[in-house]
Amino acid sequence: MALSVCRAHPFSGRRPLILPQNPSFPVSCLPSTVNAFSSQHGRFSSQKLNWGKRVLDSRRGTSGTFSLVVRSLQDNEEKSNGLSGGGKVNGGEKVDVLVLGSGGREHSLCYGLRRSATCGKVFCAPGNAGILLSGDAECLHDLDITNSVAVAEFCKKNNIGLTVVGPEGPLVAGMVDDLMGEGIPTFGPSQSAAVLEGSKSFMKSLCDKYDIPTAKYAVFTDADKAKEYIKDQGVPIVVKADGLAAGKGVVVALTLGEALEAVDSMLTDGIFGSAGGLLVVEEFLDGEEVSFFAVVDGENAVPLVSAQDHKRVGDGDTGPNTGGMGAYSPAPALTPELEKMVMDTIVLPTVKGMAKEGTKFVGVLYAGIIIEKKNGLPKLLEYNVRFGDPECQVLMMRLESDLVQLLLAACRGQLKGVELQWSDDVALVVVMASKGYPGDYQKGTLISNLEAAEQRSSKVKLFHAGTALDPEKNIVAVGGRVLGVTASGKDIVEAQKQAYEVADQIEWKEGFYRRDIGWRAVERHRQLV
């Protein structure tokens, strides 16, 4: 059956998206996903020619010697060479860091950075109430992270040695290009490389060209043709908005009615705006989903430990998809053999493929992987181009290497041979969300007893996502996902117990959380025991 012909959507904003340089690359239609991050970039706009090449050249051409040692957090004696910013550490220089973002991912990154031996000051823009009160970073509430001019000026004025871009929006909008163009070391992909997340059809085209295992799919801009295709394929089936939709643009339709409704809501009703102007319809793959992360320097990739999240809002993995209601690490479903297979057949071909297309990827590749039930083999569901949320929370609880050095090594193309140190403990995070999420929810609701709850266990850390301070300095909820109660333990049972004991002490009548985070891993653990 002939599919609808895709017409490229013009990108509104300060500059067009930079596509891979190889004209043979089968790029599908790309929607405008950068509108929310495209204002106030005036004086950089005249410097956009050859951005992709210039940014990559600037990464390769970093001056000075950089002797890479990804240090243990306990190793405070070694010097760090070629770093800038901050005070001295035995003759080396500590690095002052700026983190862009305001969610739980950014809070956990601040926590991980602050624990690094070579880290100086940590700033977070705009941050949130928990980041501020915990002392994990100095929050810059007035710094507009959609304004690359303002961010660059702050970095220069404060001698920032590393900027870490947390959310996908500024990445897809080109924040890394702007800051790198101003000589500011910045961790994250260029705008042209961030299209791996910014357009699911682009990612699928890359898989086609480089034989990366993924689900069979078709792309549509016409609702009637999409419906015809769905009826022909049958259900269950997966309907995805092509662009960024805050983790909510995926519908796993178990009935024909659900699938057709998803097509209408995205293409006809436009619930995701331009992000839903193009649909990717995929075959349903039956199996267990896991999250696989790798830090990439354009040519080399260093795998992180595995994690598994819970996307559905309700216990038993029921209800609509969310941005994530909890996670744990490691993921028992991803054996060492499968991890190697994911690296060899999915991650490394992606890194090499992007390089061949003239758009090297530097940053975090977050691969959503499904291990198919029918054959036990991994396939790629989709890519994100930043740390996951809430997976980042459990990764930062387990990381024992120096995060500052790791991210700088990626920026400088020096990841070859790097090995990371991780705690043997299991980590688990329970997300506390506002009632009504992922739909409408009330804002400004009071949360109390947080400090006393966290003090119940030395193995628990509260990462804030959607919190703020009201005029009386009380902590209030201002988002859908609000808190991440993150615990570590000798096994999954202990980590789960620690997290729920603390979550149960938090007083928030307008909040809710799942009671079964980690249930698959707990079942596996009990079978082994």
Side-chain angles (χ1 to χ4, degrees):
M1 183 179 70
L3 304 183
S4 57
V5 177
C6 301
R7 293 184 175 85
H9 296 259
F11 276 76
S12 62
R14 68 198 195 289
R15 63 174 179 273
L17 181 70
I18 304 161
L19 299 178
Q21 302 301 308
N22 189 336
S24 67
F25 187 68
V27 179
S28 333
C29 315
L30 301 175
S32 174
T33 56
V34 303
N35 299 359
F37 293 89
S38 60
S39 62
Q40 299 178 330
H41 296 266
R43 70 180 173 88
F44 290 173
S45 61
S46 63
Q47 306 171 14
K48 297 305 180 232
L49 296 178
N50 300 317
W51 256 112
K53 181 178 185 302
R54 193 171 85 231
V55 170
L56 292 171
D57 288 344
S58 71
R59 293 183 194 273
R60 288 193 294 266
T62 303
S63 61
T65 302
F66 181 68
S67 175
L68 175 62
V69 181
V70 180
R71 299 167 178 78
S72 166
L73 290 171
Q74 288 75 38
D75 183 5
N76 292 303
E77 299 303 317
E78 292 195 61
K79 296 180 181 181
S80 56
N81 302 322
L83 306 180
S84 62
K88 299 285 183 178
V89 180
N90 296 322
E93 291 182 337
K94 284 198 171 185
V95 184
D96 290 348
V97 185
L98 171 64
V99 177
L100 302 184
S102 62
R105 167 183 48 234
E106 288 74 37
H107 190 175
S108 60
L109 285 171
C110 291
Y111 171 77
L113 290 161
R114 186 175 59 82
R115 295 169 68 219
S116 301
T118 58
C119 186
K121 296 179 181 178
V122 182
F123 300 92
C124 187
N128 61 45
I131 297 173
L132 173 67
L133 294 176
S134 66
D136 289 321
E138 180 180 334
C139 291
L140 308 170
H141 301 301
D142 297 328
L143 181 57
D144 181 4
I145 68 170
T146 71
N147 184 342
S148 57
V149 175
V151 174
E153 289 175 349
F154 175 86
C155 291
K156 291 178 179 180
K157 182 178 179 180
N158 292 275
N159 198 25
I160 297 298
L162 172 67
T163 298
V164 182
V165 184
E168 61 274 23
L171 292 171
V172 173
M175 177 63 74
V176 173
D177 305 77
D178 287 346
L179 298 184
M180 290 291 291
E182 293 293 301
I184 300 163
T186 306
F187 179 77
S190 64
Q191 186 190 35
S192 54
V195 75
L196 272 175
E197 179 171 358
S199 172
K200 294 178 179 64
S201 61
F202 176 94
M203 183 275 290
K204 287 289 193 177
S205 296
L206 190 82
C207 290
D208 282 346
K209 185 169 184 180
Y210 293 99
D211 297 320
I212 298 167
T214 189
K216 183 178 71 173
Y217 75 103
V219 178
F220 300 92
T221 57
D222 183 274
D224 291 336
K225 292 183 178 180
K227 291 177 181 179
E228 289 176 14
Y229 179 80
I230 290 170
K231 291 175 182 177
D232 183 59
Q233 296 298 311
V235 292
I237 201 163
V238 183
V239 182
K240 296 182 176 181
D242 186 70
L244 301 181
K248 303 173 188 176
V250 177
V251 174
V252 180
L254 302 180
T255 68
L256 182 60
E258 288 176 338
L260 300 182
E261 182 181 353
V263 171
D264 282 334
S265 63
M266 294 182 195
L267 276 182
T268 306
D269 300 335
I271 63 169
F272 297 122
S274 57
L278 182 69
L279 287 189
V280 176
V281 181
E282 290 184 350
E283 69 170 316
F284 172 79
L285 299 177
D286 188 16
E288 192 165 345
E289 292 185 36
V290 295
S291 301
F292 189 90
F293 297 85
V295 176
V296 181
D297 68 2
E299 296 180 356
N300 306 291
V302 176
L304 307 185
V305 288
S306 63
Q308 190 161 10
D309 74 336
H310 295 263
K311 281 286 190 288
R312 301 280 188 162
V313 72
D315 286 4
D317 295 320
T318 57
N321 275 335
T322 70
M325 294 300 295
Y328 52 94
S329 174
L334 200 63
T335 63
E337 294 75 19
L338 286 176
E339 286 188 7
K340 184 177 187 305
M341 191 177 296
V342 170
M343 281 293 290
D344 291 344
T345 66
I346 296 175
V347 173
L348 291 177
T350 299
V351 174
K352 293 175 182 177
M354 291 293 283
K356 286 181 180 179
E357 298 306 325
T359 309
K360 288 189 176 183
F361 185 94
V362 176
V364 173
L365 266 182
Y366 164 13
I369 302 293
I370 189 161
I371 303 168
E372 284 199 89
K373 185 181 293 185
K374 66 181 181 182
N375 56 23
L377 298 178
K379 281 187 177 180
L380 176 65
L381 292 175
E382 62 183 26
Y383 271 127
N384 294 321
V385 297
R386 33 68 189 185
F387 285 101
D389 187 347
E391 293 96 336
C392 191
Q393 287 84 312
V394 292
L395 295 180
M396 292 302 105
M397 286 290 279
R398 296 189 62 206
L399 180 65
E400 292 185 342
S401 292
D402 189 309
L403 183 60
V404 171
Q405 295 299 305
L406 173 65
L407 302 188
L408 280 172
C411 292
R412 292 168 170 170
Q414 297 176 333
L415 284 179
K416 188 175 182 179
V418 167
E419 293 183 357
L420 301 177
Q421 296 179 352
W422 300 91
S423 167
D424 291 331
D425 282 353
V426 173
L428 179 143
V429 57
V430 175
V431 171
M432 302 185 72
S434 298
K435 288 180 179 178
Y437 176 79
D440 294 333
Y441 52 85
Q442 183 181 354
K443 294 183 179 181
T445 57
L446 181 65
I447 308 172
S448 58
N449 206 44
L450 286 170
E451 185 176 357
E454 187 172 14
Q455 289 176 351
R456 287 179 60 90
S457 174
S458 61
K459 293 189 173 184
V460 174
K461 171 72 176 177
L462 289 183
F463 292 117
H464 288 234
T467 62
L469 296 177
D470 69 9
E472 287 74 40
K473 304 300 182 183
N474 298 310
I475 294 178
V476 295
V478 293
R481 293 185 298 162
V482 176
L483 295 168
V485 184
T486 310
S488 60
K490 67 180 186 297
D491 54 42
I492 187 68
V493 172
E494 181 181 336
Q496 185 191 58
K497 180 175 181 289
Q498 296 270 0
Y500 279 112
E501 283 182 352
V502 171
D504 289 342
Q505 296 301 310
I506 295 172
E507 298 174 4
W508 181 28
K509 64 180 182 180
E510 293 86 4
F512 78 99
Y513 50 95
R514 282 182 54 165
R515 303 293 316 187
D516 64 345
I517 299 302
W519 66 267
R520 289 187 181 90
V522 169
E523 286 185 0
R524 281 189 172 94
H525 176 79
R526 288 173 176 164
Q527 289 171 4
L528 291 174
V529 173

